[in-house]
Amino acid sequence: MSLRFLDQVRTAISRINPNEIRQSAERPVRVLMLGSSSAYYAQLEDFLAPADVSREKRMEIARTLSRAGDADPDGRYHLVVAEAGSAIPAGWDLNKDAFIFDPAHPKRLVHNVIENFDEATLPLARLFPPFRQAAIHKTIHTVAKENALFSILTALPNVIPSLAELPWMVGEFASDTAVLTTNQIRMAFLLAAASDRAVGFREQRSEIGSIVAGAWGWRAAARELVGKIPFGGGIIPKAAIAYAGTYVVGLSLERVYRIGYGLTRDERSEAYDAALAKGKDVAAGLLDKVRRK
């Protein structure tokens, strides 16, 4: 592996602060619950704190939840979860920071919150297990899409200053691969935080080492595949590969944090093929937006 590449990655990742990600995930979240009966509150509480969570986690969750009758009138709540038909308090907007929980369809709450309440996605995923999977997959797609966008922008002249203010972007000294690898490392921090795992360079040295080691082989494979992908031009294949490579890294990390080990070689190959097909559509849509701008 090139020492120059390693130096570029080292310089790029120095701009990532895992402490900020950890602190963001650990932000206090207070949830106001609105319901008409004790049975409703019990169903909501059981959903947010499943039976398999630890006693410590259950106590942490309990401290964040307030029933309407026990609410602190001067307290600051970040999220309202209400029974259908409940009066939403003034100052709260339905499907923005107030959401309906239907015990018959509990996953609708997860979908609506994750899709519409970006502000607290990370702390909600860390705190409440039912939100974790959806938040993680949204993060993987977002970071994979960022890498696809970066691949498109670096292939087009004079567009980065005017079109991209990406927080992880580094200077002109870094290769495309170094920047994409750095963003995958940032994704590793985000996924660990959402999974309620330890976050940091030392704490995640094994995952970071695997990402950096895999990047070199991924770059060689990408160069070979660009000439073989049949969906036209050099920009879309390059971006689709950036999307797929990042997406598979994310899926493997998700499994590591969930059950302790990543994808097998066959699973990675299957996941890559599926992500590459999706990456084609993502890249085409991004390229269209960039050209229109």
Side-chain angles (χ1 to χ4, degrees):
M1 185 177 292
S2 165
L3 291 177
R4 181 170 177 269
F5 170 71
L6 291 176
D7 286 340
Q8 289 173 343
V9 172
R10 187 180 300 111
T11 302
I13 65 176
S14 69
R15 302 192 177 199
I16 305 174
N17 187 348
N19 291 330
E20 291 181 354
I21 293 174
R22 183 189 307 113
Q23 291 166 4
S24 177
E26 293 176 351
R27 287 203 322 269
V29 176
R30 299 189 67 195
V31 179
L32 176 61
M33 303 181 294
L34 304 177
S36 61
S37 67
S38 296
Y40 176 82
Y41 286 123
Q43 288 176 311
L44 176 53
E45 290 163 352
D46 288 344
F47 174 71
L48 295 175
D52 58 350
V53 302
S54 67
R55 179 175 179 273
E56 291 75 13
K57 175 61 68 174
R58 187 175 297 278
M59 292 177 64
E60 183 183 6
I61 291 173
R63 289 193 293 269
T64 72
L65 303 177
S66 295
R67 299 186 179 188
D70 302 324
D72 178 0
D74 299 321
R76 181 177 184 274
Y77 293 94
H78 304 88
L79 184 69
V80 169
V81 179
E83 186 176 9
S86 298
I88 305 300
W92 297 87
D93 295 323
L94 193 60
N95 291 327
K96 182 178 179 182
D97 49 18
F99 299 89
I100 300 299
F101 173 70
D102 180 355
H105 303 283
K107 291 186 178 180
R108 289 180 183 172
L109 172 67
V110 173
H111 173 79
N112 290 335
V113 170
I114 295 302
E115 289 301 311
N116 297 290
F117 196 55
D118 288 338
E119 176 187 348
T121 294
L122 199 56
L124 286 174
R126 185 198 67 81
L127 186 61
F128 300 115
F131 288 92
R132 195 162 295 162
Q133 193 83 353
I136 285 172
H137 281 284
K138 181 178 181 180
T139 298
I140 294 171
H141 171 70
T142 298
V143 176
K145 189 175 177 180
E146 288 175 355
N147 275 358
L149 176 61
F150 180 81
S151 294
I152 289 172
L153 295 178
T154 54
L156 298 174
N158 304 319
V159 296
I160 290 181
S162 61
L163 291 177
E165 293 293 337
L166 300 176
W168 45 269
M169 186 171 290
V170 298
E172 295 179 357
F173 61 85
S175 67
D176 287 10
T177 308
V179 175
L180 301 180
T181 302
T182 299
N183 207 28
Q184 291 176 359
I185 293 171
R186 183 178 70 93
M187 177 175 65
F189 294 147
L190 291 168
L191 297 185
S195 301
D196 200 17
R197 299 281 184 162
V199 178
F201 289 107
R202 182 185 300 274
E203 294 84 351
Q204 296 175 258
R205 58 186 178 275
S206 176
E207 298 96 296
I208 292 171
S210 295
I211 290 171
V212 174
W216 196 250
W218 173 81
R219 183 174 75 164
R223 286 176 172 174
E224 180 180 353
L225 284 171
V226 163
K228 297 180 179 179
I229 298 177
F231 43 86
I235 295 177
I236 289 180
K238 178 184 176 186
I241 292 169
Y243 179 93
T246 303
Y247 199 90
V248 173
V249 167
L251 290 182
S252 192
L253 288 169
E254 184 275 333
R255 182 178 289 187
V256 167
Y257 298 135
R258 180 165 49 88
I259 58 178
Y261 57 87
L263 301 176
T264 66
R265 178 175 296 181
D266 288 344
E267 288 172 332
R268 284 199 305 270
S269 178
E270 182 178 350
Y272 185 88
D273 289 342
L276 192 61
K278 183 175 182 179
K280 166 191 169 182
D281 294 332
V282 170
L286 290 172
L287 181 58
D288 181 61
K289 288 182 180 179
V290 169
R291 283 173 169 165
R292 283 192 278 110
K293 287 186 179 180

